[in-house]
Amino acid sequence: MKSFKYIFFLLSSFIVTGFAKADYLREDDLKSFVVSCYLENEIPVFCSNQQIDNPHLKIYLPLFKSVMVDDRIHAFRLMATIENLSKKNLVGAKVLLKSKGMDSNIIEFIINEKIKYKMVSTTDYSHLIRSDVPKIRQTYDILHSAYYNADISNFEMAITELHFD
């Protein structure tokens, strides 16, 4: 009976601590990553990951997941989206995903669809960052660390191009 209580205690402790810290990035983590921007003459003049009043655009990172390609190659699928609050039809944009303290960009997302007022772009076309491509290995390693540490606090997003009707 004593050994049963001990095993039960160990399993309970393991389960409770397992829920305390995520072993990977979850949807709730991604929902909290929002960049809001003000525009002036269709050009971003101020963007912040802090909540701001009446932004013209909001950028999200709703798709960031771990996938297996051909049952042996690990990769990450990710895509940014834009919510258009500018009262003009947005027809295209480029969004950069950066890591703080790194000179180069991680990924440049190209959003090539019409986004009407109060609509959000889709994740239909996304990026696949594979572990077996040497040229993007540094990008893969940054994404791997962020995903499996459930920490995207070092990420920044910026709009580099906007195209309106």
Side-chain angles (χ1 to χ4, degrees):
M1 186 71 170
K2 233 180 198 185
S3 62
F4 176 73
K5 286 181 182 178
Y6 180 72
I7 291 171
F8 180 75
F9 174 75
L10 284 177
L11 286 174
S12 297
S13 298
F14 177 72
I15 290 170
V16 169
T17 56
F19 287 117
K21 174 75 172 111
D23 295 328
Y24 59 90
L25 202 59
R26 298 180 190 265
E27 193 174 319
D28 289 342
D29 300 319
L30 295 174
K31 284 181 182 177
S32 67
F33 188 60
V34 179
V35 177
S36 300
C37 297
Y38 290 127
L39 303 177
E40 191 172 290
N41 298 323
E42 300 178 355
I43 297 171
V45 291
F46 176 76
C47 293
S48 175
N49 60 352
Q50 302 294 317
Q51 184 176 350
I52 60 176
D53 294 333
N54 303 316
H56 297 115
L57 299 174
K58 288 186 179 181
I59 312 166
Y60 304 95
L61 187 66
L63 180 61
F64 184 175
K65 64 182 181 178
S66 173
V67 296
M68 291 301 284
V69 182
D70 298 329
D71 293 331
R72 65 184 192 282
I73 298 167
H74 185 257
F76 291 102
R77 181 159 301 281
L78 61 164
M79 186 60 185
T81 58
I82 294 180
E83 181 178 5
N84 183 7
L85 303 169
S86 69
K87 298 183 182 177
K88 299 177 183 178
N89 290 332
L90 185 63
V91 293
K94 286 186 181 178
V95 176
L96 291 179
L97 178 65
K98 298 179 176 186
S99 181
K100 292 177 187 172
M102 195 175 145
D103 292 335
S104 61
N105 304 323
I106 297 177
I107 298 173
E108 181 177 57
F109 300 105
I110 297 173
I111 299 171
N112 194 17
E113 61 185 274
K114 189 171 193 170
I115 310 164
K116 295 179 180 180
Y117 176 57
K118 291 191 176 183
M119 305 228 18
V120 179
S121 62
T122 67
T123 59
D124 291 346
Y125 300 100
S126 59
H127 290 261
L128 184 69
I129 307 300
R130 297 170 53 123
S131 63
D132 64 333
V133 180
K135 193 171 186 175
I136 59 170
R137 184 62 194 205
Q138 183 181 18
T139 298
Y140 172 83
D141 290 341
I142 290 168
L143 295 174
H144 186 275
S145 176
Y147 187 84
Y148 287 106
N149 289 316
D151 183 12
I152 53 176
S153 62
N154 284 333
F155 285 174
E156 297 174 337
M157 286 197 294
I159 298 173
T160 57
E161 283 186 35
L162 288 173
H163 302 281
F164 291 90
D165 270 349

